[in-house]
Amino acid sequence: MTSTQRFRHVIPLLAALVTAVAVFTGIVAGVNDDDGLKSGQLIFAMVASVLSGGVAFWQVKDQMDKPPQQLPPANGKHLPQVGRLYQLPPDIEDFTGRAQDAAELATLLISREAETAVVVTALSGKGGVGKTSLALHVAHRVRSHFPDGQMYVNLRGAEAQFLDPAEVLGRFLRELGVDAESVPEQLEDRARMYRAQLADRRILLLLDNALNEQQVRPLLPGSATCAVLITSRARLGALSGAHTHALDVMTAEQGLDMLRNIVGKARVAAEPHGAREIVELCGRLPLALRIAGARLASRPTDRLVGFAVRLRDEQHRLDLLKVGDLEVRANFALSYQVCDEELKRAFRLLGMLKTADFSAWALAALADVSLHEAEEMLERLVDAELIEIAGDDRTGIRRYRFHDLLRVFARERLAEEETEATHNAALTRLLEFYIALATNVSVLLEPGGHSEPVPADPELLQAIRRDPREWFLTHETTFLLGVDLAGEAGLWQPAWRLTRALPATSHWPSDWPTWMRIHRIGLDAARRDGNRQGEAEIRCKIGAIHRAQGDYVSAEKQLRMSADIAEEIGDELGVAVALSVLGDTYRYTGRLDEGVRCFQRGLEEFRRRDIPRYVAWALNGLGDLQRGQSKWQESIDCFTECVQIFDDLGDRLEAARSRVRFGIVYRDQCLYGEAERLYLNGLGVIRESGDRRWEARTLRQLGVLWRNVGRNSQAISALDEVQGIFEELVDRRGVAVVLRNKGDAYRRASDYETALGCLEDALARFRDLGDHRWEARSRMSIADTIRHDGRWEEAGAHLKVASDILREIDDRPGQARVLRSFGLFHRGQEQWQKAIDAFQESRTIYESLGDRAWAARTMAEEATVHQAQGDDEAWRDLRERAEMLCRECGASTHNDVALWLTEW
């Protein structure tokens, strides 16, 4: 309360006091001094003074309570006293949720922090989000704080014919008791009279559905004794001094509460999954939920899950969300209709996007406007509550998104108001934009390749150059869904060109099924377009995805077809690329000689064309195959040149990945110190780049190394971390591989129960993935685990299945390993000759492959059979030969040899 206001309350009391004193003094003065003041006269004087003071008090107070006449009326008459106005529509009987929002708004409205400024609270949100319901609930909640009344008006800001503020002021003045003839004509004069009428009154004003700040400003009182609550679809950010409160859709639990209140708790409890699906399909929008609830309440025998199934049909979803005079579509249409034609078109075109969110560049391509114009239109659509700001992505670019039901509405408008030709033209512009971006990001991600950059927006290219890998991973879904859009629209050429332009990152995705589906769309598009080169290139990429998933049979089929098509059309580079990926497939399946031949042919072509990146890639694969053949120096030479090329290209990440693979060469030679150095060197760069997948792969190699040297707790800790990363990336095959590694680490630590749990989990996952090679490996590890418990029948069954698989896929190293496991199996049952035969057959394969390290292991294990039989001479001879082989392979100390030949 101001000092002026406090003084106005004191004036009647002062008047009463002065009058009482004056009357009392007058009476006393008229009494004869000689006689003195008798008791009766004294009582009379006191009563008279009190009565006179009381009359004076009420007369002065009555005059001061009359409103000030700051603006003379047009006809010269005095303005009447304002009466109490209770204009609020009824509160919502089943109002639910929004408790925190309601409390915050109520607190703001009744706060008296400002002594001179009126309290103004602006509540904004999209159509149907429940602004009016919340505002009415809050207004009823605080009505006792505004004893002089609550005034309400629907400003119809979302409609084409919104109310003029002058018209609203005229209505308010008449309701406040001003004679119609006394209401001024001009808006400014009406506003002055309106403020005068509300001065010193405690009135709550609810301005519902405001259009903008211009419509609201003249309606604001001037007195701090009043409060104003505004609802609007627009954010009234320019309303000076207003508290803004943005209302979003409900939470899932609030939505369920609302549904329970409408259809009944028992019904929701009986079908919780159906109820939750209804809430999500309604986008947690209160209006949609109220309509859905009302429809269900009127049909008590209908099942909630049945209604949810009907809501799944996006084409007819808005048709279902209509009951009585409530309709989601009509509500959205109000926001849409007040937009200008340019903004309506932008809204419609955005409806064709499938991505969860999008940037201004997408709209720029769709609408064929500049980036600046697209940004401006998107901000205006946000102000209109037709789209939302999703925030900035990891590369700092602002993203926008639709509410689910508004996306459906946008697509309806697109189908109704745009021709097929216009639709396809906009989509083609968008796809060409995506193709240019994908091409440029591929060039940046793969320096030294054969792709060339293409013209694109300089500002966008600058954003990509800051971190090409992060940029692509952030926008990966956008490109994949772009192919989807092109396929649905029958735009075959853009569909396969975009698929082909995607970076060669088949080892990055966590969502393998989506990548495969998108590439199959691209393949179908290339075939429909009759482009054989496009078909060959996409088949090669599909083969790489199959290989990464462990489906080596399908991989070989696609890669062979790719190479054949490329050879048929004379594309020697295409042949070399397909054969190199095929060589990688053979590397995984243990067909080492065939893999070497494939990579050697590819390497020859890449050197001839002087494509350094592809040369390094081929050297990487060839070096790993030669490692598998125990051709240590050849492998070291390949990896040394490979790493040097990537270093020269400035590709630190690919160089780090190659160093990790290089480390395996030293690990297999028992040179664990050099292997660990390479792993840790690569891990530092990989972690710096944020490449979580290769971080996990590198840690896995470290875990295997530590397991091999007997540092079991350290190995298990690292492998636990690896499993967590692969689970985070939803890399099913990665999780399966590390579970098998963990099982072997626990087996090495003699914790057979835990080992068996990990190995059986891994086996189930590999079988589900269809990865037969790793299924066989897991079965061998399981057999080696359970033989310690004497479960010979089960162990033998696992080894038999593993052997059959490895023979079928012609995995020679795998066949050697399963024979070694058979040797251990037979030795454990004292089947001495069978054990010797198995060990010798295993060693023969290892020697044919040039893998002397594993040959030494099997020799040492065969020696133990002779020792068990008491043949010390044969035992010592085989043991000495095994130790000599280890030294020839690089084991320099006695401890190195002992570690190499340790059996577990």
Side-chain angles (χ1 to χ4, degrees):
M1 184 180 292
T2 65
S3 58
T4 300
Q5 291 171 332
R6 287 193 290 269
F7 183 67
R8 287 172 62 87
H9 286 289
V10 171
I11 289 174
L13 292 172
L14 290 174
L17 181 60
V18 170
T19 302
V21 170
V23 171
F24 182 86
T25 302
I27 294 174
V28 170
V31 176
N32 191 318
D33 292 338
D34 294 334
D35 296 333
L37 190 65
K38 297 181 174 59
S39 61
Q41 292 173 325
L42 180 60
I43 293 172
F44 172 78
M46 292 177 65
V47 172
S49 62
V50 169
L51 290 173
S52 299
V55 171
F57 175 88
W58 288 109
Q59 286 177 335
V60 173
K61 187 175 186 304
D62 182 66
Q63 289 298 318
M64 294 194 70
D65 282 349
K66 291 181 179 180
Q69 304 299 309
Q70 295 179 351
L71 182 69
N75 59 4
K77 296 180 180 178
H78 291 293
L79 293 174
Q81 180 179 349
V82 63
R84 292 184 175 181
L85 300 169
Y86 300 112
Q87 299 179 346
L88 293 178
D91 194 2
I92 307 299
E93 183 178 353
D94 56 3
F95 184 86
T96 187
R98 310 294 198 193
Q100 184 175 347
D101 295 292
E104 289 178 7
L105 290 171
T107 301
L108 284 170
L109 289 172
I110 64 177
S111 65
R112 280 292 168 277
E113 294 178 1
E115 293 190 349
T116 58
V118 63
V119 177
V120 179
T121 301
L123 179 61
S124 64
K126 64 177 64 65
V129 81
K131 300 181 297 297
T132 298
S133 297
L134 176 59
L136 284 171
H137 180 72
V138 171
H140 280 281
R141 183 168 165 175
V142 301
R143 61 180 295 176
S144 64
H145 293 269
F146 300 93
D148 294 319
Q150 300 89 44
M151 301 175 69
Y152 170 86
V153 64
N154 180 359
L155 295 173
R156 299 179 182 175
E159 303 176 28
Q161 298 299 320
F162 54 87
L163 295 185
D164 188 298
E167 179 185 343
V168 176
L169 284 171
R171 179 193 302 176
F172 277 170
L173 287 170
R174 290 190 293 274
E175 290 168 347
L176 287 166
V178 176
D179 185 75
E181 296 179 357
S182 300
V183 176
E185 289 295 325
Q186 298 300 316
L187 172 64
E188 184 178 349
D189 292 337
R190 290 186 177 190
R192 289 171 59 203
M193 179 182 285
Y194 167 71
R195 290 193 293 271
Q197 285 290 316
L198 296 184
D200 297 328
R201 303 291 180 178
R202 299 289 299 277
I203 292 217
L204 174 64
L205 188 64
L206 177 49
L207 305 178
D208 193 19
N209 206 7
L211 174 63
N212 52 32
E213 293 89 344
Q214 290 84 353
Q215 187 188 33
V216 167
R217 283 195 186 99
L219 308 180
L220 300 180
S223 170
T225 59
C226 295
V228 183
L229 179 56
I230 307 167
T231 72
S232 177
R233 298 192 181 197
R235 291 171 168 81
L236 304 181
L239 204 58
S240 178
H243 302 278
T244 57
H245 189 99
L247 192 62
D248 203 352
V249 295
M250 288 181 157
T251 65
E253 198 54 44
Q254 287 174 337
L256 283 171
D257 283 343
M258 186 174 187
L259 208 57
R260 290 186 189 101
N261 285 347
I262 300 172
V263 305
K265 294 180 180 179
R267 202 166 167 192
V268 170
E271 297 186 77
H273 296 298
R276 287 189 179 276
E277 187 173 6
I278 289 171
V279 169
E280 292 305 319
L281 289 171
C282 287
R284 292 181 270 126
L285 189 72
L287 175 62
L289 285 168
R290 182 162 295 281
I291 293 171
R295 289 181 66 102
L296 288 165
S298 66
R299 299 166 176 81
T301 59
D302 283 4
R303 294 191 63 206
L304 271 61
V305 69
F307 189 70
V309 169
R310 296 174 66 193
L311 281 176
R312 289 175 198 164
D313 182 1
E314 185 178 291
Q315 190 173 354
H316 298 100
R317 189 176 301 166
L318 295 184
D319 294 332
L320 284 174
L321 296 177
K322 178 181 180 181
V323 62
D325 61 347
L326 297 178
E327 183 180 359
V328 171
R329 181 187 286 113
N331 195 286
F332 290 163
L334 293 174
S335 296
Y336 177 73
Q337 292 301 333
V338 297
C339 296
D340 58 38
E341 288 304 316
E342 179 185 56
L343 213 56
K344 288 180 182 177
R345 177 171 178 264
F347 176 74
R348 294 193 298 268
L349 293 177
L350 287 170
M352 71 175 65
L353 297 176
K354 283 193 166 189
T355 51
D357 51 45
F358 47 87
S359 68
W361 280 295
L363 178 58
L366 285 168
D368 198 17
V369 297
S370 70
L371 176 62
H372 176 73
E373 290 173 307
E375 289 172 337
E376 185 180 349
M377 285 192 284
L378 285 169
E379 290 301 318
R380 289 168 61 199
L381 286 170
V382 169
D383 290 339
E385 290 287 350
L386 287 170
I387 63 171
E388 305 167 356
I389 295 175
D392 294 347
D393 63 27
R394 293 180 293 182
T395 61
I397 296 174
R398 172 161 285 193
R399 309 287 292 180
Y400 301 85
R401 67 185 174 209
F402 276 109
H403 180 272
D404 290 347
L405 295 179
L406 275 165
R407 185 192 300 276
V408 174
F409 179 70
R411 288 174 180 169
E412 285 188 354
R413 294 300 88 221
L414 181 70
E416 286 285 329
E417 301 181 41
E418 298 287 351
T419 65
E420 183 178 356
T422 305
H423 177 283
N424 286 345
L427 182 54
T428 299
R429 286 194 299 271
L430 179 70
L431 294 171
E432 290 296 335
F433 170 71
Y434 286 165
I435 291 167
L437 286 186
T439 302
N440 284 306
V441 79
S442 294
V443 171
L444 292 169
L445 280 170
E446 300 162 3
H450 75 287
S451 299
E452 295 292 334
V454 297
D457 185 280
E459 186 178 347
L460 181 53
L461 285 178
Q462 184 178 359
I464 297 173
R465 286 192 188 100
R466 283 195 289 268
D467 191 340
R469 182 178 180 279
E470 183 67 23
W471 192 93
F472 177 73
L473 289 177
T474 300
H475 300 87
E476 172 188 342
T477 302
T478 298
F479 291 112
L480 298 181
L481 292 180
V483 177
D484 222 353
L485 277 171
E488 287 179 359
L491 300 174
W492 308 124
Q493 188 184 88
W496 71 258
R497 286 175 55 222
L498 178 54
T499 307
R500 180 183 66 174
L502 293 173
T505 54
S506 57
H507 54 289
W508 288 3
S510 55
D511 186 4
W512 292 112
T514 298
W515 269 72
M516 181 60 75
R517 182 178 64 82
I518 292 303
H519 279 73
R520 290 201 180 282
I521 292 172
L523 176 61
D524 181 61
R527 296 177 68 184
R528 287 173 180 267
D529 194 45
N531 193 290
R532 296 284 280 164
Q533 183 172 0
E535 179 183 351
E537 292 183 21
I538 295 173
R539 283 192 185 280
C540 182
K541 298 181 78 171
I542 290 175
I545 295 173
H546 279 307
R547 181 209 62 198
Q549 290 182 284
D551 184 355
Y552 304 116
V553 174
S554 298
E556 182 177 358
K557 177 182 177 182
Q558 291 295 332
L559 292 166
R560 281 290 180 195
M561 292 178 70
S562 173
D564 290 345
I565 294 171
E567 195 154 23
E568 176 188 324
I569 63 176
D571 180 6
E572 289 299 321
L573 179 60
V575 174
V577 171
L579 288 179
S580 295
V581 182
L582 184 59
D584 237 358
T585 305
Y586 289 145
R587 178 171 63 87
Y588 278 100
T589 57
R591 294 157 67 179
L592 306 183
D593 291 339
E594 292 176 77
V596 166
R597 285 194 292 272
C598 287
F599 270 118
Q600 285 176 336
R601 180 171 174 183
L603 181 60
E604 181 182 350
E605 182 66 21
F606 301 149
R607 288 193 190 279
R608 186 179 72 81
R609 290 176 177 263
D610 191 22
I611 307 176
R613 182 178 196 83
Y614 286 11
V615 170
W617 167 41
L619 287 167
N620 189 304
L622 186 58
D624 202 51
L625 284 161
Q626 290 169 334
R627 172 188 66 82
Q629 295 174 320
S630 299
K631 296 178 180 178
W632 308 119
Q633 191 56 52
E634 291 94 328
S635 177
I636 290 170
D637 291 342
C638 283
F639 276 115
T640 301
E641 185 181 358
C642 164
V643 170
Q644 185 62 55
I645 292 172
F646 282 128
D647 282 340
D648 291 343
L649 291 172
D651 193 336
R652 296 177 66 238
L653 179 58
E654 203 60 56
R657 292 168 174 168
S658 299
R659 284 186 170 91
V660 171
R661 188 168 280 171
F662 194 177
I664 305 174
V665 180
Y666 291 104
R667 184 200 70 192
D668 284 0
Q669 296 178 80
C670 203
L671 302 175
Y672 295 120
E674 183 63 18
E676 189 173 29
R677 184 188 68 79
L678 284 166
Y679 290 158
L680 293 174
N681 181 291
L683 182 62
V685 175
I686 288 166
R687 278 181 164 160
E688 181 185 329
S689 73
D691 186 346
R692 295 283 282 166
R693 193 175 305 280
W694 265 89
E695 178 185 356
R697 289 176 175 178
T698 307
L699 282 172
R700 187 179 79 82
Q701 294 298 340
L702 278 166
V704 170
L705 184 152
W706 292 330
R707 177 203 67 194
N708 288 356
V709 299
R711 290 151 64 180
N712 296 312
S713 60
Q714 190 175 2
I716 291 168
S717 177
L719 295 171
D720 280 340
E721 185 177 352
V722 173
Q723 183 176 345
I725 296 174
F726 280 138
E727 287 173 347
E728 173 191 325
L729 296 172
V730 200
D731 188 333
R732 296 166 61 211
R733 186 173 184 276
V735 172
V737 169
V738 77
L739 279 169
R740 191 250 177 176
N741 293 147
K742 282 176 64 176
D744 283 341
Y746 281 114
R747 179 164 62 89
R748 176 75 190 266
S750 300
D751 184 351
Y752 299 118
E753 183 179 353
T754 306
L756 188 58
C758 292
L759 293 169
E760 288 179 338
D761 191 357
L763 174 61
R765 292 171 186 266
F766 285 126
R767 294 185 67 184
D768 187 49
L769 288 167
D771 189 335
H772 303 300
R773 182 170 183 249
W774 278 82
E775 176 190 343
R777 288 187 172 194
S778 299
R779 288 185 181 278
M780 282 189 280
S781 292
I782 289 173
D784 287 339
T785 301
I786 61 179
R787 65 181 168 81
H788 288 279
D789 291 333
R791 294 158 62 179
W792 302 113
E793 185 175 350
E794 291 178 62
H798 278 293
L799 290 176
K800 175 66 168 60
V801 175
S803 179
D804 291 344
I805 290 172
L806 294 167
R807 287 181 183 279
E808 184 179 348
I809 65 174
D810 195 25
D811 182 347
R812 295 282 287 161
Q815 291 171 39
R817 291 196 184 191
V818 77
L819 283 166
R820 171 187 172 271
S821 289
F822 266 121
L824 297 172
F825 169 78
H826 291 306
R827 188 192 65 183
Q829 298 176 82
E830 299 184 358
Q831 297 171 348
W832 308 122
Q833 192 55 49
K834 286 184 177 181
I836 291 172
D837 291 344
F839 284 133
Q840 288 181 349
E841 189 176 354
S842 171
R843 185 166 72 253
T844 299
I845 296 175
Y846 279 131
E847 288 171 346
S848 71
L849 293 171
D851 192 340
R852 294 184 299 167
W854 272 101
R857 286 192 179 99
T858 56
M859 194 178 293
E861 287 157 351
E862 183 187 343
T864 62
V865 178
H866 292 287
Q867 185 182 33
Q869 290 180 295
D871 188 348
D872 291 342
E873 183 179 354
W875 171 72
R876 277 193 292 270
D877 177 60
L878 285 170
R879 180 72 188 187
E880 288 173 2
R881 288 166 57 193
E883 291 177 356
M884 183 173 61
L885 268 178
C886 288
R887 290 191 176 91
E888 290 175 1
C889 291
S892 57
T893 69
H894 179 75
N895 287 338
D896 288 341
V897 172
L899 182 63
W900 189 267
L901 297 180
T902 298
E903 182 183 308
W904 51 276

